[in-house]
Structure formats: structure tokens, C-alpha cells
Amino acid sequence: MFSPKGKFGWYELMTSDTKAAGKFYADLVGWSTHAMPGGAGGEYTTFNIGSSGIAGMLNLAGHTGWIGYINVPDLDAHIERVVEAGGKLWKPATEVPGMLRFAVMSDPQGAGIVLFTPNPSMPTPERPAPPTPGTIGWHELYTTDVDAGFDFYQQMFGWTKVSDMDMGEMGTYRLFDEGDNNPMGSGGIMTRPPHIPVSCWNFYFNVDSIGAAIERVKAGGGQVLNGPMQVPGGSWIINGQDPQGAMFSLVSAKE
């Protein structure tokens, strides 16, 4: 029987220069990096807080950007349902021995996602809880259709609507909960702005303070694209771009 339960469980940076990107994010967010053997003789790097993995990174020619992994109880069933709903399968189900099975897909509006089912025997150290610096503080979907986009994730993964916010000319900002039971939800969905060429997910990393983080972005060769600005709930955010071109965002309770 199909179970829609699913939430983000991993994040991955595809970049043209893993060494430079690793230093940029380590300096900016406070992660440490750990290189490990990858498939086909390649190398995979994890971003860690202490001994806990938070995200990963790999060199992928022609691709620069972050993608999120959604943990599902039955990978094959979810692949079938996503395709039936109008999504696309870009990389068929693949097993990483002893770790997970995953498939690279996109939602019906074109935003990339990875679905995965972890191997039950894989060690999973407990991660620090948000808003610890380096943890993921928010998930934001830029899409062509807010209602259709939300309906897809609700049907596929059981996410629920928290509320809608009117952003004037920018349209509706829909807060959703993926199961965290946070009063503000787990993230938001909005119409893709004109400067963002394709539908995509954007991830917010918690930092000590936005002001200090802005200086680290600049010192590391990145760019601040938007902000700083205060959002409902009192947090401060910026949207930025790393030196290799990947978009990211930062969030902090402290200006």
C-alpha cells in the first residue's frame, strides 16, 4: 500500500570545484569536510557538524546547484507515483551498497529532487537541532504554479498547508509543514521570480548572525543577491551565490 510519508533528509551540492566550494562553505557555515570514495572511482565529500553528516558534495561537469533528498519508505512506489503525477525520472533507482537506494527526479513543474530510502543498517548519528549553526533552517520552492506545486508534494509526501501570505506583486507565499510540527512550518512555496530561470528548491543554512555571515560571503568570493531582510517570525535572511554559481540562502535569529 502506498504511504505518502516523506521529508527532506539530505542535501547535496553539485559543483565544478569541490575543493574551493568545500572551503567556501566550511568558512561560511562552519561545516567540516570529509572526503570518501564514491562510485566509479570518484570522490564524495560530506559536510559535517562534529561527527554528524549534514550534506554532501560532488563534482559534476555542467551542473552547479543544491538539490534536496526526500526520505521515502518505498522508493519504487514513489517513483511510479511521481511519474504518474507528471514528474520525470532522470536517473533510475540506484543502490549505494550499505547506505541507500536513490533516484533523481523532478516534480511536474520541473524542480529537481532526489528520492531515497536509507539502508536500515547504515549508522545515523543524531544531528544537532535547528537553529544550531550549520543546520538547515528552511526549505523554499520556486515554482510556476503554487497551488499545483503544493498539491504534488501533499499527495506524494503527506505535507500539510500551514498558511498563505500575501506578498503583493510577488503573489502568494505558502507555508507548508513536512512533519516538523513547527508553528511556522518547514518551508515555503512561491511563484518563481523572473531572475530565476527554472523551478528549483532553495535551502537556508542557519548561521550565527546575518551581519557576520555577509562578511564571510564576501571574503570567500561569493555574492549577496538579496537582503539582509527580516521575515515574519523575526529571523533575518539573505539569498546568495557561491563562487562557482550555486544559489544558497542563510537564516539567523540575530541581525
Side-chain angles (χ1 to χ4, degrees):
M1 181 176 179
F2 177 77
S3 169
K5 185 178 180 181
K7 60 188 297 185
F8 282 108
W10 190 249
Y11 309 87
E12 194 167 79
L13 173 65
M14 298 167 287
T15 183
S16 59
D17 189 335
T18 54
K19 184 176 180 179
K23 177 172 172 40
F24 174 79
Y25 285 101
D27 292 344
L28 173 60
V29 184
W31 292 329
S32 61
T33 58
H34 176 69
M36 54 192 295
E43 188 175 83
Y44 191 83
T45 301
T46 60
F47 289 116
N48 302 338
I49 300 176
S51 61
S52 299
I54 298 295
M57 174 175 59
L58 73 162
N59 188 298
L60 195 60
H63 292 78
T64 303
W66 284 92
I67 194 167
Y69 281 54
I70 300 176
N71 188 333
V72 296
D74 187 331
L75 179 62
D76 297 314
H78 275 78
I79 291 172
E80 183 178 347
R81 288 293 293 270
V82 168
V83 172
E84 287 176 353
K88 288 185 168 54
L89 176 63
W90 297 106
K91 181 179 178 62
T94 302
E95 183 169 359
V96 180
M99 298 184 69
L100 75 160
R101 289 182 73 232
F102 73 97
V104 182
M105 308 195 75
S106 59
D107 67 25
Q109 287 71 46
I113 51 175
V114 178
L115 305 186
F116 80 107
T117 300
N119 187 307
S121 64
M122 181 177 67
T124 54
E126 185 173 351
R127 294 173 178 168
T132 302
T135 57
I136 310 304
W138 195 249
H139 310 89
E140 196 164 72
L141 174 63
Y142 304 132
T143 184
T144 55
D145 189 324
V146 171
D147 288 330
F150 171 75
D151 288 347
F152 169 80
Y153 288 94
Q154 181 182 50
Q155 293 166 15
M156 293 301 109
F157 310 116
W159 298 357
T160 57
K161 175 182 172 180
V162 175
S163 63
D164 282 346
M165 299 172 58
D166 184 358
M167 298 197 302
E169 293 183 358
M170 297 179 67
T172 297
Y173 192 84
R174 178 161 299 171
L175 303 180
F176 67 85
D177 180 17
E178 57 171 359
D180 294 327
N181 298 314
N182 186 319
M184 288 295 291
S186 308
I189 301 175
M190 62 181 289
T191 300
R192 175 173 59 81
H195 69 277
I196 297 179
V198 295
S199 296
C200 63
W201 280 95
N202 179 34
F203 306 109
Y204 286 68
F205 310 131
N206 281 300
V207 291
D208 49 356
S209 82
I210 285 296
I214 287 174
E215 295 307 311
R216 296 197 295 270
V217 170
K218 295 175 181 177
Q223 299 180 61
V224 176
L225 303 178
N226 184 40
M229 61 185 296
Q230 193 170 29
V231 295
S235 293
W236 289 84
I237 66 167
I238 64 165
N239 306 123
Q241 189 174 48
D242 70 25
Q244 288 70 48
M247 186 173 66
F248 66 91
S249 292
L250 304 177
V251 58
S252 177
K254 183 180 176 181
E255 182 182 8

